[in-house]
Amino acid sequence: MRFDLVYTRQANKDAKKLKGTQLATKAKDLLELIRVDPFASPPPFEALVGDLKGAYSRRINIQHRLVYEVLAEERTVKVLRLWTHYD
């Protein structure tokens, strides 16, 4: 059973930055992976701490990350960021 993806306003802004770059394909592949299973590995994911506690991160490249929350009961993945979470 697949998860639904919902995007925050910031994730939508980030997606516009990715569009037309080499990172867009990698991000699209990661989004499809988490749609099927947000905890699948590889590629590895990490649980975040601090302000983003409860969220998970996967690398798009060395600098940029896909940051998301899993709402298991609703079978939904909330995409928080697609660029960097260090801003």
Side-chain angles (χ1 to χ4, degrees), residues 70-86:
V70 178
L71 308 171
E73 290 184 14
E74 293 89 12
R75 302 282 304 169
T76 301
V77 173
K78 184 177 183 181
V79 179
L80 304 174
R81 297 296 309 251
L82 285 166
W83 195 244
T84 181
H85 67 84
Y86 299 115

Side-chain angles (χ1 to χ4, degrees), residues 15-86:
K16 289 178 185 175
K17 293 178 192 175
L18 282 175
K19 192 172 183 174
T21 69
Q22 295 176 344
L23 301 176
T25 302
K26 174 75 180 212
K28 192 178 284 189
D29 291 344
L30 287 173
L31 288 168
E32 185 56 34
L33 175 77
I34 65 171
R35 180 188 301 270
V36 174
D37 182 0
F39 301 109
S41 188
F45 63 92
E46 68 179 90
L48 299 176
V49 296
D51 292 345
L52 293 172
K53 185 174 182 171
Y56 300 91
S57 171
R58 292 181 188 257
R59 288 183 182 269
I60 297 172
N61 70 1
I62 193 77
Q63 179 182 4
H64 302 298
R65 309 281 188 275
L66 163 61
V67 179
Y68 61 96
E69 289 179 335
V70 178
L71 308 171
E73 290 184 14
E74 293 89 12
R75 302 282 304 169
T76 301
V77 173
K78 184 177 183 181
V79 179
L80 304 174
R81 297 296 309 251
L82 285 166
W83 195 244
T84 181
H85 67 84
Y86 299 115

